[in-house]
Amino acid sequence: MQVELSPPTRLSAAVFAAKAAAYRLQRACSNIVPGGPHRLATGDPAALPYVVAQSRTLLWSDTRPPEYSMQLGKVANLRRAARALDRTLLPSGRLFSFWKQLGPPIRVRGFVSGRMLQQGCLVPAVGGGLCQLSNALYDVALAAGCQIVERHPHSRIVPGSAAAQGRDATVAWNYVDLRFRSDCTLLLRVWLEQQELVVSLQAAVPIAPSHGATLANVRDSAQEARSCGTCGEHSCFRFDHRGGAAMRNQTAFLVYEAWPEFARYVAAERREGDVLRTPINGQRWKLPRYAWNTSGFKNVRFASTSTLLHSLAARRLAEQGPARRQAEARAAENIARQFARTLTPDIAELCVAQAFLPYLWRDGHLGGRRFRVLMTTLPIRELERRLDEAASIFPDRATLTDFRAPRELADWESAALAAADSIVTPHADIARLFEGRTVKLDWAIPAAQNRTFATGRRIAFPGPTVARKGCYELREAASSLNLEVVPLGSELEGPDFWSDVHHVPPGKDDWLEGISLVVQPALVEQAPRRLLAALAAGIPVVATPACGLVPQPGLAIVPPNDSAALTDAVRALLLA
């Protein structure tokens, strides 16, 4: 039978705080004696791949509007704790202590006000909500056959919760702890999905669970307990006479390059109270690449220092090549870290530029949040698969293998893309990879120009002259058809690459002047701006599906790495 508790008073709260302080001091002293708990190191999941036990519990267990603020705080605290505990290695026989591993849940360490059960009531407290994690830890420790050294049940049992099943473990810094040890080496994994907290223990070899199935989708132990916003105890000094603040979801737009397609999308999607994070104030500094429209947002933050430092460093690098791509990845990581520090608990949704995605996923900032991705290029794994396939066919083309991203970067991106609610892109080839989850944008078409169609045999290659852009196939077609080529961009395949075909530099004022055809037989193409300009000017285009254009008048689409098909398409358009 549930015992009815009288409302807490200021005196009872003061007595509770004094007792807690005494217990904290006592525990701090006991922790420093020989044999006390030590902080454990991290381990490699690949070395302990077998899941021994796993717990999945719902994050958003309380849908009452006045409770939403504390729910957001709880999820933020779980997100912060997950980053601290994930990949903890539990050597055989070593003691695991929840608080020794996590450390104090204080504001300077990123913890915020969440829900804590105290004296029978839900009260706002910094670090509140961590009991959901300790419940899950206790649950998987039992299932994995661990020896429980210290565990404390909750003072209030809610039907349907972990406490009702005897699988709960409350914690309070630092004197109410959860401690256990295992007979075999285990690895602790902790992460947040959009709707669930996931905790698992992994081992080097398969081990049968000791205590049956672990918990799945149980309710928060604090659900339906009396809350300061909803209990109705007007005499209580903690009662919120405002009736609780019902907060709605806010979206943070973490953007990178100001593609016109994305600029239109963000302008249409933003709502009152949403926030914007962009590398630098491109409008103020006349930088079109970052010239996002900042009006209409609750607040706007920049990562100006990191962006400027990257810009200065990039000036010393070639426009293409491994060094440039490594520098761009470092810049994106630094900017993502800065943006992550500005993500307050009330931001429940994100719209994230692809460049930041792997780092935000790695550091746990996407957990417990809905998010969509602004995609500008192929996923790392798909991009490198295509390059590897082409390199196996053409091993002499060294630029096809000049750079590969670190494996873990591809893993983080793949996991994040799988968890994303939607993929936002104008690129048709990328959209096809995520069918059913894609928000397909229209490419921004340049203003049409009055131009007389050229009838010669001069064709433009948007470039740069590198294997992944199809320069070898184009050179072969130009040689067999006796064409005049206008290469655009850097020549990375060597200074004599075009020596066997007639080639001329582009016009100084207008690269399309005198051009009869624009050809881009690319294996990889991120933003086909020159192809769009040619189509807008009425000049026919030959491209591959990798260029991301949809079928339309004036466009011939050919497969990549196919010189014969390219030659036929070019011949047909020039003779039409």
Side-chain angles (χ1 to χ4, degrees), residues 361-510:
W361 181 267
R362 175 197 63 190
D363 296 336
H365 298 294
L366 301 178
R369 289 181 165 121
R370 298 173 60 90
F371 65 97
R372 48 202 145 141
V373 184
L374 302 179
M375 289 281 286
T376 55
T377 191
L378 292 169
I380 294 172
R381 282 183 175 165
E382 176 62 17
L383 170 63
E384 296 187 351
R385 184 195 67 78
R386 295 186 186 188
L387 292 174
D388 290 343
E389 186 178 84
S392 68
I393 301 172
F394 308 107
D396 57 318
R397 302 179 185 180
T399 56
L400 290 173
T401 57
D402 63 357
F403 177 76
R404 292 293 183 270
R407 186 190 69 179
E408 60 269 20
L409 191 68
D411 292 342
W412 299 330
E413 185 193 62
S414 295
L417 289 173
D421 287 279
S422 58
I423 306 299
V424 183
T425 184
H427 200 288
D429 198 31
I430 295 173
R432 279 189 287 269
L433 297 175
F434 299 94
E435 191 171 356
R437 287 196 295 144
T438 304
V439 178
K440 175 66 172 65
L441 306 179
D442 293 329
W443 286 107
I445 306 300
Q449 305 176 38
N450 294 324
R451 186 182 303 278
T452 302
F453 180 71
T455 58
R457 304 178 70 81
R458 178 175 293 185
I459 66 172
F461 173 66
T465 301
V466 65
R468 66 180 180 276
K469 299 298 183 181
C471 60
Y472 284 90
E473 288 75 18
L474 179 63
R475 184 176 65 176
E476 185 174 335
S479 177
S480 65
L481 298 174
N482 192 27
L483 303 178
E484 186 176 66
V485 178
V486 179
L488 308 173
S490 304
E491 296 189 9
L492 305 179
E493 294 290 338
D496 299 325
F497 183 84
W498 299 107
S499 60
D500 292 337
V501 298
H502 186 41
H503 62 285
V504 295
K508 292 183 179 180
D509 299 324
D510 182 3

